[in-house]
Amino acid sequence: MSSKSFFDGVVNPQGLLTAAVGPVFLAAIPVTNYITAPNGTVQKAIETLLSIIPGSDSISKDRVVPALSAFYIFWTFAATGAASVGGLGASRKEGLDNNHPRKDINNLTGLPLRLRSAHYNLMEMFPGFALAAALAQVSAPTNQNLINLLGLHVLLKSFVYYPAYLLDIAPVRSLAHLGATASVINVAWLLALGVK
């Protein structure tokens, strides 16, 4: 048995209290139901987002989830990925070292660090969104409540969370993360309950 303590590496035990926030994500589920009611603001925002994407005028109701997913894939991996790399380049006097682009990650501060951190959070959240979107597309592709919940996740992460992270507005960033995460949990839960 190892002689190391369970708390090895802990220098501020009060920091562990943050884990108590976990149940708040479940408490936020009713809020996500309320703000994603069909024909409401979130649905209109989703329709507006999709309408500005070239070729989106031919998206049928049963293909809104894949369309949202396509935008979110672009945002998560291409747009914020490019911004993250731009931050890496901006952090070095010599610019980006494309042969070893990640070698200076541990030295990032300020905006370059926020660009990378925001990008990484989107990548961390993407698998949960992808699973919920895939299950919704297979089980209930035209359920407007599920579409709106998935859209809420995309809207909050793309247009509230990410800018708040870059602008260093932690309370807004945290609330957007809470709502976006609760909306994806809600989709999975509603599907488990048999919503069609």
Side-chain angles (χ1 to χ4, degrees):
M1 187 160 153
S2 173
S3 62
K4 290 185 179 183
S5 163
F6 176 75
F7 294 101
D8 185 38
V10 174
V11 294
N12 179 2
Q14 290 182 346
L16 296 173
L17 295 177
T18 307
V21 173
V24 174
F25 289 92
L26 297 177
I29 287 175
V31 176
T32 65
N33 278 333
Y34 177 76
I35 62 178
T36 58
N39 301 313
T41 305
V42 170
Q43 184 173 336
K44 288 176 181 48
I46 294 166
E47 291 166 355
T48 300
L49 171 64
L50 295 180
S51 73
I52 62 174
I53 299 171
S56 63
D57 53 344
S58 62
I59 296 173
S60 63
K61 176 125 171 105
D62 64 338
R63 294 290 177 229
V64 174
V65 171
L68 275 171
S69 298
F71 170 80
Y72 198 45
I73 290 167
F74 159 76
W75 185 256
T76 299
F77 297 101
T80 69
S84 177
V85 171
L88 286 168
S91 72
R92 293 173 33 102
K93 192 176 205 175
E94 310 81 16
L96 182 67
D97 178 355
N98 203 33
N99 290 319
H100 304 285
R102 293 179 178 89
K103 74 177 184 181
D104 294 311
I105 288 172
N106 293 330
N107 300 323
L108 293 175
T109 60
L111 179 60
L113 178 59
R114 292 192 306 275
L115 284 163
R116 180 165 174 79
S117 298
H119 170 62
Y120 265 72
N121 179 267
L122 291 174
M123 290 194 312
E124 290 166 358
M125 290 299 300
F126 191 82
F129 169 83
L131 178 60
L135 290 171
Q137 183 62 28
V138 168
S139 302
T142 60
N143 182 298
Q144 194 61 54
N145 188 38
L146 297 179
I147 292 169
N148 289 352
L149 286 164
L150 291 168
L152 177 63
H153 176 87
V154 171
L155 294 168
L156 286 174
K157 280 296 188 174
S158 301
F159 302 111
V160 180
Y161 176 87
Y162 188 78
Y165 211 129
L166 299 188
L167 296 170
D168 206 12
I169 307 171
V172 173
R173 181 187 77 218
S174 295
L175 287 173
H177 179 71
L178 174 68
T181 303
S183 68
V184 170
I185 295 168
N186 197 356
V187 169
W189 184 247
L190 289 171
L191 288 167
L193 293 175
V195 168
K196 299 275 182 208

